[in-house]
Amino acid sequence: MTTGLNEPANRLHELPDYRPSARFWARLGYGAAAILFLAATGTLQGYELFLASSILSYAIAAMGLNVLMGYNGQISLGHGAFFAIGAYSAAICIDQFGMSFAFTPIVAGIVGMAAGWIIGKPALRLEGVYLALATFGLAIATPTILRSDLFAQWTGGVQGLFLLINPAPKWTGLDLDQSIYLTVVVYFLAFAYVTLRLVRGLNGYAWLATRDNPIAARAMGFDVTKAKTRAFVYSVLACSVGGALQAVAVQFVAPDSFPFFLSISLFTAVVVGGLCSPLLGPILGSAFIVLVPNVTEEVWQGGSWAVYGAVVILVMAIQPKGLAGMFAWLKFKVAGQSGS
Amino acid sequence: MTFFLEQLIIGLSSGGIYAIMALALVVIYKSTGHVNLAQGELAVFSTFIAWTLVQMGVPIWPAILLTMIVSFIGAVILERVVIRPFDEADDLVIVAVFVGLFLGIHSLAGAIWNYEVKPFPSAFSDGSVQIVSDLSIRAHTLGSLLTTCVVLAATWFFFRYTRLGLALRASADNHESSRLVGINVSFMLALGWGLAAAIGAIAGVMIAPVTFLDPSMGLAPLIFALAGALLGGITSPFGAALGGLIVGVLEAMISAYVPYGIEFRELIALLLILSVLLVKPAGLFGELVTRRV
Amino acid sequence: MTPALVLKDVSATYGHGAILHGIDFEVPGGQVTALLGANGAGKTTTLRAICGMIQTSGEISLFGEDICGRKPEEIARMGVAHVPDGRGTFSGLSVMDNLRLGSFTARDRSSFGRTLERVFGYFPRLEERKKQHAGTLSGGEQQMLAIGRALMAEPRLILLDEPSIGLAPVIVKQLFQILEDIAAEEGVSMLLVEQNSNLALKLATNATLLEVGSVVARGTSEELSKNQEIARAYLGHDPAPTEVQQ
């Protein structure tokens, strides 16, 4: 295992294996995983389905944020804001317009992107720590805006909104939890596919080039601004959709559901899961942020933050590729095959 | 008119607190090049220590002094153990470490002292002071303002006129040359953190009597201090202090005169941060650090 | 008199490869020694090795005391003042603060005023600009400040890294005249790294020539100024007889 203390982030990326045989097995693997996820609808029960829905919702958000932070190197401590925007968009659609829950993530995504465009324009001109600071401010400001009486008419103010969600039609035989879960899985698979296509394609290279050396990238003909914008917009889209799905899963939104710590949790999910791991990292990372509180909150209230904090620092010190990196390392040791 | 003056003084008072927190941010930024995102949490932790001392019967001012010393030592250890190993790392890694630090300190405070909101005694008397005919200000507000002025003056004096202050400034300016003139730069980095923590402790014990003490107390002040530091220039102690005062007054005025103003205070701070970073990242008095390819 | 500096079999690396390969030379006490060589010969590396800024092996003695492996701040406190390449001024601080920092390690604090007067005597321009930010000074003035700062430390040994670099010839001439005065009046030992070998050899009493990290010639200035090796090292070919005698 390489020590990570001073390893630059730009060494985190490894090229995927493009040999035809490797691709065949990879595709088979993805297909099998997809079927597994779908099949779980039938095998998991109530609360487990809820957990799974949460994990996958956060995973979608993490996928987007990973594109922004891992591939494009922009630091955001404030994506909880977009998660919240997505959640509230979905909530308002259901509450005010009676929309079927399955379509709300689409609306949420559009609204989110609009917000992302407004916030992104100034944000994209900032770099490194400055962007981190600005987004830090965004994360702190978000709950106060949500709590505001000014918007209470739509947002339900401090008390929030309870969402009335109707399960799938009777003929499908699915109960509420199952309906929700299945919807989440469909969106998740769609995002997984899109993310992989993006990062493995020209966009991925553009993002990496502009991350590692924007000046050289520009000299080589990459449109740096466009690349940064695309990464940002994608991350916002993913977070909004993730937020919408999570709101549906929980069936409730309130300002207190989107505190400053939500942004930090998303950040943690990406860092712990593994920067630059487009799919496995987000899944592992979101599993981390969903399951850890479940375990620790019973023993120690507020302790999950400590675990997040300690793990983040440890990951940075020992293995910056995060859980996905450790997984790959294990695979290397066990299978003994070379990656790239 | 009286109302305006009252709000102005309140604004200056909270501005003073933001000013000294901004100063703490500047001290660390100047000596190590990092923005200490955990500054607020450190201040809160210190305040909890002060609270414990007061509970044990220590009078408030000695408690504050003791807290400053303990905070100083704690921060030095923190810098050596957690921050120093990541000195050369990428932006993203450093931000992650600070986030981790933030979370860790926050949780530790919650673990040791739980999340119940606690009252914290003011270092000054509980009453009000009458200034002119119908203008009276709470003693704490005035005392707080006075204290922060003293801290600002003391810090200025320290940096300007003491040998150690000169060494700290030199170390912040140029590591290599500092070593060549015999300064132990490693010690200076730790000293910067220690000072910042001690200053932050004072900020904490000034805030707590007003907002009550709980682990999340430090979030809002941090964002205002950050806005102030950026506005004034994160490389300029004087600028940051001025920035903090401006932010404090702005906050008070907006809360008092703008409808829904109170709810959007943090948003205003955010917008301020954004504006400064976009228009003049160096702030009013700071210097821009140019980037070499 | 004990030599100010003795280097024996000193090798140094920057981590990837060795830059200095077992060099030996001496800096006699109270005299100016020049360290010459083309770009990349290892001159600056040698100074950094002496100051403890890079990984070094071998023996380095300062007036008889071994300093190899010690930290830069320790070596500075032992009376070594290094004027690095690029001046190394504290550009955010005032001229006066820069000078004060020079005497940071001075053992006798009360002599600050007198030393300051001497420095202002050599460099009156610095006194004129004492309140200015060092970063606003011209290149020549910054070089003067760097040397002034070194003098404030009342050092036993001054290391000068390429003081002439980037300066107009007229300024360089002035500067070297002042260095001559300093060498004569202060009695401090100096190790001067210079690409401009003519100037260096005029000022110095002894010289050492480096080529790609090894010593290729050594002797008095007079010997070296007639030496073919220098010309070859710098010009890349054997010189005509007239070229060497400047």
Side-chain angles (χ1 to χ4, degrees), chain B:
Chain B
M1 185 60 184
T2 318
F3 180 67
F4 174 77
L5 280 176
E6 191 187 13
Q7 294 305 309
L8 183 64
I9 296 181
I10 290 177
L12 284 172
S13 181
S14 38
I17 296 176
Y18 302 148
I20 63 178
M21 274 196 74
L23 194 61
L25 288 171
V26 168
V27 167
I28 290 187
Y29 186 77
K30 281 201 81 134
S31 28
T32 66
H34 300 147
V35 178
N36 183 4
L37 293 172
Q39 183 68 54
E41 305 311 292
L42 285 172
V44 172
F45 199 89
S46 304
T47 315
F48 271 112
I49 294 177
W51 181 84
T52 308
L53 290 173
V54 168
Q55 296 298 108
M56 295 192 327
V58 180
I60 183 79
W61 280 107
I64 293 178
L65 214 61
L66 218 62
T67 304
M68 285 172 67
I69 296 173
V70 172
S71 307
F72 184 95
I73 297 172
V76 166
I77 296 174
L78 214 59
E79 195 273 331
R80 279 301 175 95
V81 173
V82 179
I83 303 294
R84 187 78 64 85
F86 294 98
D87 207 31
E88 308 279 310
D90 258 8
D91 278 351
L92 186 50
V93 174
I94 293 181
V95 169
V97 171
F98 274 100
V99 167
L101 195 63
F102 182 106
L103 293 172
I105 298 178
H106 185 101
S107 306
L108 204 59
I112 303 177
W113 290 285
N114 77 48
Y115 288 85
E116 271 170 38
V117 173
K118 302 170 179 36
F120 189 90
S122 165
F124 313 96
S125 68
D126 274 327
S128 297
V129 172
Q130 214 186 16
I131 309 211
V132 280
S133 53
D134 52 349
L135 177 62
S136 80
I137 310 284
R138 301 226 351 246
H140 180 80
T141 310
L142 280 177
S144 182
L145 182 55
L146 220 65
T147 310
T148 52
C149 284
V150 169
V151 169
L152 288 171
T155 314
W156 174 77
F157 185 86
F158 170 76
F159 277 116
R160 195 79 189 304
Y161 291 109
T162 65
R163 191 163 171 271
L164 201 56
L166 179 62
L168 204 57
R169 278 192 291 143
S171 160
D173 189 277
N174 191 328
H175 276 352
E176 201 176 86
S177 292
S178 300
R179 302 183 81 187
L180 293 179
V181 295
I183 296 175
N184 187 336
V185 169
S186 164
F187 181 66
M188 292 298 131
L189 293 176
L191 183 64
W193 269 72
L195 274 179
I199 294 175
I202 299 180
V205 300
M206 295 290 137
I207 297 174
V210 179
T211 62
F212 294 95
L213 180 59
D214 83 285
S216 297
M217 186 183 87
L219 272 179
L222 177 63
I223 199 72
F224 292 121
L226 207 51
L230 287 170
L231 177 64
I234 199 150
T235 54
S236 162
F238 168 73
L242 188 64
L245 286 169
I246 294 176
V247 169
V249 172
L250 216 64
E251 181 206 356
M253 291 301 152
I254 290 177
S255 301
Y257 291 108
V258 175
Y260 295 108
I262 296 188
E263 296 176 336
F264 293 114
R265 286 159 41 210
E266 281 94 346
L267 180 61
I268 307 285
L270 169 65
L271 290 175
L272 198 57
I273 292 177
L274 260 182
S275 319
V276 171
L277 289 178
L278 289 172
V279 174
K280 192 165 194 272
L284 293 172
F285 297 99
E287 286 147 8
L288 197 53
V289 177
T290 45
R291 218 187 180 184
R292 289 258 183 84
V293 182

Side-chain angles (χ1 to χ4, degrees), chain A residues 209-210 212-222 224, chain B residues 293:
Chain A
T210 57
D212 293 343
N213 197 331
I215 298 174
R218 196 174 276 131
M220 288 203 304
F222 280 114
V224 170
Chain B
V293 182

